Amino acid sequence: MRNIVLALFVTLCGLVGTVNAEVGGAVNITADLFEIDQQAQTGTFTGNVYAHQETFQLWAPRVVAYYGEGGPSDLIKITADGRIRVEFGTQKAISDRGVYDPKTRLLTLLGNVSATQEGSSDVINSQEMVIDLNNDTTRFEGTGTDNGRVTATFGSGS
């Protein structure tokens, strides 16, 4: 059991570290509860979850790591749900939920996404934001609200 907990922490460290290539060092995760379900192959942090490593931060009511037959080192995906908030450097985003796929290195924020840049009045709203960590690109998609369109407001730059 102790090995699974340690392996899960290492796995979560890998997730947080990949969000910003410049980030390194220890990952700190706090929550009201941490449960491992070996049969379901999940590790779940619930209640006021906060994870941070250098300039990456995540706040969520619940974070779940799903792993395969190889145990926690065989990470399939990590999800965060409830109204989540992520910050990396000066970039900030909020959404209803998020999914990270370590094989494709795609971080997807879903539902009522709003992205901002610190020190700027710029804001982009969409229903989906996909960050491709392999190619250092971000794509916004609109569905449902605002006639299925992405909306962006760019300030004066001051």
PDB file of all heavy atoms in Angstrom, residues 21-42:
ATOM      1  N   ALA A  21       7.152  23.289 -18.743  1.00  0.00           N
ATOM      2  CA  ALA A  21       8.438  22.619 -18.873  1.00  0.00           C
ATOM      3  C   ALA A  21       9.513  23.224 -17.988  1.00  0.00           C
ATOM      4  O   ALA A  21      10.477  22.566 -17.636  1.00  0.00           O
ATOM      5  CB  ALA A  21       8.897  22.637 -20.330  1.00  0.00           C
ATOM      6  N   GLU A  22       9.360  24.492 -17.621  1.00  0.00           N
ATOM      7  CA  GLU A  22      10.348  25.143 -16.788  1.00  0.00           C
ATOM      8  C   GLU A  22      10.177  24.799 -15.314  1.00  0.00           C
ATOM      9  O   GLU A  22      11.019  25.129 -14.492  1.00  0.00           O
ATOM     10  CB  GLU A  22      10.264  26.657 -16.978  1.00  0.00           C
ATOM     11  CG  GLU A  22      10.546  27.086 -18.399  1.00  0.00           C
ATOM     12  CD  GLU A  22      10.285  28.558 -18.608  1.00  0.00           C
ATOM     13  OE1 GLU A  22      10.053  29.269 -17.619  1.00  0.00           O
ATOM     14  OE2 GLU A  22      10.305  28.983 -19.760  1.00  0.00           O
ATOM     15  N   VAL A  23       9.093  24.168 -14.962  1.00  0.00           N
ATOM     16  CA  VAL A  23       8.803  23.883 -13.574  1.00  0.00           C
ATOM     17  C   VAL A  23       9.555  22.643 -13.128  1.00  0.00           C
ATOM     18  O   VAL A  23       9.683  21.677 -13.850  1.00  0.00           O
ATOM     19  CB  VAL A  23       7.278  23.670 -13.388  1.00  0.00           C
ATOM     20  CG1 VAL A  23       6.968  23.189 -11.993  1.00  0.00           C
ATOM     21  CG2 VAL A  23       6.557  24.962 -13.686  1.00  0.00           C
ATOM     22  N   GLY A  24      10.060  22.682 -11.918  1.00  0.00           N
ATOM     23  CA  GLY A  24      10.737  21.523 -11.352  1.00  0.00           C
ATOM     24  C   GLY A  24      10.558  21.529  -9.857  1.00  0.00           C
ATOM     25  O   GLY A  24       9.925  22.405  -9.299  1.00  0.00           O
ATOM     26  N   GLY A  25      11.135  20.545  -9.199  1.00  0.00           N
ATOM     27  CA  GLY A  25      11.068  20.512  -7.751  1.00  0.00           C
ATOM     28  C   GLY A  25       9.889  19.723  -7.239  1.00  0.00           C
ATOM     29  O   GLY A  25       9.165  19.074  -7.979  1.00  0.00           O
ATOM     30  N   ALA A  26       9.714  19.815  -5.933  1.00  0.00           N
ATOM     31  CA  ALA A  26       8.698  19.028  -5.247  1.00  0.00           C
ATOM     32  C   ALA A  26       7.292  19.513  -5.575  1.00  0.00           C
ATOM     33  O   ALA A  26       7.069  20.681  -5.820  1.00  0.00           O
ATOM     34  CB  ALA A  26       8.920  19.102  -3.741  1.00  0.00           C
ATOM     35  N   VAL A  27       6.368  18.573  -5.561  1.00  0.00           N
ATOM     36  CA  VAL A  27       4.955  18.881  -5.713  1.00  0.00           C
ATOM     37  C   VAL A  27       4.315  18.733  -4.346  1.00  0.00           C
ATOM     38  O   VAL A  27       4.556  17.762  -3.634  1.00  0.00           O
ATOM     39  CB  VAL A  27       4.266  17.904  -6.690  1.00  0.00           C
ATOM     40  CG1 VAL A  27       2.762  18.126  -6.688  1.00  0.00           C
ATOM     41  CG2 VAL A  27       4.826  18.055  -8.065  1.00  0.00           C
ATOM     42  N   ASN A  28       3.515  19.697  -3.973  1.00  0.00           N
ATOM     43  CA  ASN A  28       2.779  19.637  -2.713  1.00  0.00           C
ATOM     44  C   ASN A  28       1.296  19.553  -3.031  1.00  0.00           C
ATOM     45  O   ASN A  28       0.780  20.374  -3.788  1.00  0.00           O
ATOM     46  CB  ASN A  28       3.062  20.879  -1.866  1.00  0.00           C
ATOM     47  CG  ASN A  28       4.508  20.943  -1.451  1.00  0.00           C
ATOM     48  OD1 ASN A  28       4.975  20.097  -0.711  1.00  0.00           O
ATOM     49  ND2 ASN A  28       5.222  21.933  -1.948  1.00  0.00           N
ATOM     50  N   ILE A  29       0.636  18.552  -2.469  1.00  0.00           N
ATOM     51  CA  ILE A  29      -0.799  18.373  -2.677  1.00  0.00           C
ATOM     52  C   ILE A  29      -1.450  18.288  -1.308  1.00  0.00           C
ATOM     53  O   ILE A  29      -1.003  17.527  -0.448  1.00  0.00           O
ATOM     54  CB  ILE A  29      -1.106  17.091  -3.470  1.00  0.00           C
ATOM     55  CG1 ILE A  29      -0.409  17.124  -4.825  1.00  0.00           C
ATOM     56  CG2 ILE A  29      -2.612  16.909  -3.636  1.00  0.00           C
ATOM     57  CD1 ILE A  29      -0.501  15.829  -5.586  1.00  0.00           C
ATOM     58  N   THR A  30      -2.487  19.085  -1.122  1.00  0.00           N
ATOM     59  CA  THR A  30      -3.252  18.997   0.109  1.00  0.00           C
ATOM     60  C   THR A  30      -4.715  18.793  -0.253  1.00  0.00           C
ATOM     61  O   THR A  30      -5.183  19.264  -1.290  1.00  0.00           O
ATOM     62  CB  THR A  30      -3.106  20.268   0.980  1.00  0.00           C
ATOM     63  OG1 THR A  30      -3.549  21.398   0.234  1.00  0.00           O
ATOM     64  CG2 THR A  30      -1.667  20.478   1.407  1.00  0.00           C
ATOM     65  N   ALA A  31      -5.406  18.072   0.588  1.00  0.00           N
ATOM     66  CA  ALA A  31      -6.835  17.814   0.408  1.00  0.00           C
ATOM     67  C   ALA A  31      -7.397  17.383   1.755  1.00  0.00           C
ATOM     68  O   ALA A  31      -6.643  17.033   2.669  1.00  0.00           O
ATOM     69  CB  ALA A  31      -7.057  16.728  -0.637  1.00  0.00           C
ATOM     70  N   ASP A  32      -8.706  17.382   1.848  1.00  0.00           N
ATOM     71  CA  ASP A  32      -9.330  16.913   3.072  1.00  0.00           C
ATOM     72  C   ASP A  32      -9.249  15.396   3.194  1.00  0.00           C
ATOM     73  O   ASP A  32      -9.249  14.863   4.297  1.00  0.00           O
ATOM     74  CB  ASP A  32     -10.802  17.348   3.121  1.00  0.00           C
ATOM     75  CG  ASP A  32     -10.951  18.864   3.183  1.00  0.00           C
ATOM     76  OD1 ASP A  32     -10.012  19.546   3.638  1.00  0.00           O
ATOM     77  OD2 ASP A  32     -12.015  19.361   2.770  1.00  0.00           O
ATOM     78  N   LEU A  33      -9.164  14.703   2.041  1.00  0.00           N
ATOM     79  CA  LEU A  33      -9.176  13.238   2.043  1.00  0.00           C
ATOM     80  C   LEU A  33      -8.410  12.710   0.843  1.00  0.00           C
ATOM     81  O   LEU A  33      -8.484  13.278  -0.247  1.00  0.00           O
ATOM     82  CB  LEU A  33     -10.642  12.746   1.977  1.00  0.00           C
ATOM     83  CG  LEU A  33     -10.898  11.245   1.923  1.00  0.00           C
ATOM     84  CD1 LEU A  33     -10.490  10.588   3.240  1.00  0.00           C
ATOM     85  CD2 LEU A  33     -12.372  10.982   1.638  1.00  0.00           C
ATOM     86  N   PHE A  34      -7.673  11.611   1.032  1.00  0.00           N
ATOM     87  CA  PHE A  34      -6.994  10.922  -0.068  1.00  0.00           C
ATOM     88  C   PHE A  34      -7.314   9.439   0.048  1.00  0.00           C
ATOM     89  O   PHE A  34      -7.061   8.823   1.086  1.00  0.00           O
ATOM     90  CB  PHE A  34      -5.484  11.138  -0.002  1.00  0.00           C
ATOM     91  CG  PHE A  34      -4.714  10.397  -1.060  1.00  0.00           C
ATOM     92  CD1 PHE A  34      -5.031  10.525  -2.401  1.00  0.00           C
ATOM     93  CD2 PHE A  34      -3.662   9.563  -0.719  1.00  0.00           C
ATOM     94  CE1 PHE A  34      -4.321   9.851  -3.385  1.00  0.00           C
ATOM     95  CE2 PHE A  34      -2.939   8.881  -1.687  1.00  0.00           C
ATOM     96  CZ  PHE A  34      -3.267   9.034  -3.017  1.00  0.00           C
ATOM     97  N   GLU A  35      -7.919   8.874  -1.001  1.00  0.00           N
ATOM     98  CA  GLU A  35      -8.298   7.467  -1.005  1.00  0.00           C
ATOM     99  C   GLU A  35      -7.699   6.763  -2.213  1.00  0.00           C
ATOM    100  O   GLU A  35      -7.679   7.319  -3.305  1.00  0.00           O
ATOM    101  CB  GLU A  35      -9.816   7.305  -1.103  1.00  0.00           C
ATOM    102  CG  GLU A  35     -10.577   7.772   0.100  1.00  0.00           C
ATOM    103  CD  GLU A  35     -12.063   7.533  -0.074  1.00  0.00           C
ATOM    104  OE1 GLU A  35     -12.688   8.316  -0.807  1.00  0.00           O
ATOM    105  OE2 GLU A  35     -12.570   6.564   0.503  1.00  0.00           O
ATOM    106  N   ILE A  36      -7.256   5.530  -1.999  1.00  0.00           N
ATOM    107  CA  ILE A  36      -6.782   4.682  -3.091  1.00  0.00           C
ATOM    108  C   ILE A  36      -7.736   3.502  -3.194  1.00  0.00           C
ATOM    109  O   ILE A  36      -8.025   2.842  -2.198  1.00  0.00           O
ATOM    110  CB  ILE A  36      -5.353   4.185  -2.831  1.00  0.00           C
ATOM    111  CG1 ILE A  36      -4.397   5.372  -2.789  1.00  0.00           C
ATOM    112  CG2 ILE A  36      -4.937   3.175  -3.896  1.00  0.00           C
ATOM    113  CD1 ILE A  36      -3.004   5.013  -2.364  1.00  0.00           C
ATOM    114  N   ASP A  37      -8.224   3.264  -4.402  1.00  0.00           N
ATOM    115  CA  ASP A  37      -9.094   2.120  -4.672  1.00  0.00           C
ATOM    116  C   ASP A  37      -8.347   1.221  -5.644  1.00  0.00           C
ATOM    117  O   ASP A  37      -8.317   1.482  -6.850  1.00  0.00           O
ATOM    118  CB  ASP A  37     -10.423   2.594  -5.271  1.00  0.00           C
ATOM    119  CG  ASP A  37     -11.411   1.459  -5.500  1.00  0.00           C
ATOM    120  OD1 ASP A  37     -10.975   0.291  -5.658  1.00  0.00           O
ATOM    121  OD2 ASP A  37     -12.617   1.746  -5.534  1.00  0.00           O
ATOM    122  N   GLN A  38      -7.716   0.193  -5.104  1.00  0.00           N
ATOM    123  CA  GLN A  38      -6.901  -0.681  -5.949  1.00  0.00           C
ATOM    124  C   GLN A  38      -7.735  -1.433  -6.965  1.00  0.00           C
ATOM    125  O   GLN A  38      -7.286  -1.661  -8.083  1.00  0.00           O
ATOM    126  CB  GLN A  38      -6.097  -1.644  -5.084  1.00  0.00           C
ATOM    127  CG  GLN A  38      -5.039  -0.928  -4.280  1.00  0.00           C
ATOM    128  CD  GLN A  38      -4.214  -1.866  -3.425  1.00  0.00           C
ATOM    129  OE1 GLN A  38      -4.505  -3.043  -3.301  1.00  0.00           O
ATOM    130  NE2 GLN A  38      -3.168  -1.327  -2.827  1.00  0.00           N
ATOM    131  N   GLN A  39      -8.949  -1.813  -6.616  1.00  0.00           N
ATOM    132  CA  GLN A  39      -9.799  -2.547  -7.552  1.00  0.00           C
ATOM    133  C   GLN A  39     -10.211  -1.656  -8.724  1.00  0.00           C
ATOM    134  O   GLN A  39     -10.192  -2.081  -9.875  1.00  0.00           O
ATOM    135  CB  GLN A  39     -11.030  -3.100  -6.851  1.00  0.00           C
ATOM    136  CG  GLN A  39     -11.831  -4.016  -7.743  1.00  0.00           C
ATOM    137  CD  GLN A  39     -12.844  -4.824  -6.943  1.00  0.00           C
ATOM    138  OE1 GLN A  39     -12.867  -4.795  -5.721  1.00  0.00           O
ATOM    139  NE2 GLN A  39     -13.684  -5.555  -7.652  1.00  0.00           N
ATOM    140  N   ALA A  40     -10.579  -0.415  -8.447  1.00  0.00           N
ATOM    141  CA  ALA A  40     -10.963   0.517  -9.507  1.00  0.00           C
ATOM    142  C   ALA A  40      -9.744   1.157 -10.161  1.00  0.00           C
ATOM    143  O   ALA A  40      -9.870   1.845 -11.173  1.00  0.00           O
ATOM    144  CB  ALA A  40     -11.868   1.612  -8.948  1.00  0.00           C
ATOM    145  N   GLN A  41      -8.575   0.944  -9.585  1.00  0.00           N
ATOM    146  CA  GLN A  41      -7.306   1.488 -10.072  1.00  0.00           C
ATOM    147  C   GLN A  41      -7.343   3.020 -10.134  1.00  0.00           C
ATOM    148  O   GLN A  41      -7.029   3.630 -11.148  1.00  0.00           O
ATOM    149  CB  GLN A  41      -6.931   0.883 -11.422  1.00  0.00           C
ATOM    150  CG  GLN A  41      -6.707  -0.616 -11.320  1.00  0.00           C
ATOM    151  CD  GLN A  41      -6.440  -1.266 -12.646  1.00  0.00           C
ATOM    152  OE1 GLN A  41      -7.181  -1.060 -13.617  1.00  0.00           O
ATOM    153  NE2 GLN A  41      -5.383  -2.046 -12.713  1.00  0.00           N
ATOM    154  N   THR A  42      -7.738   3.622  -8.990  1.00  0.00           N
ATOM    155  CA  THR A  42      -7.798   5.068  -8.897  1.00  0.00           C
ATOM    156  C   THR A  42      -7.218   5.552  -7.577  1.00  0.00           C
ATOM    157  O   THR A  42      -7.206   4.830  -6.579  1.00  0.00           O
ATOM    158  CB  THR A  42      -9.252   5.589  -8.986  1.00  0.00           C
ATOM    159  OG1 THR A  42     -10.011   5.052  -7.902  1.00  0.00           O
ATOM    160  CG2 THR A  42      -9.894   5.251 -10.315  1.00  0.00           C
TER     161      THR A  42
END
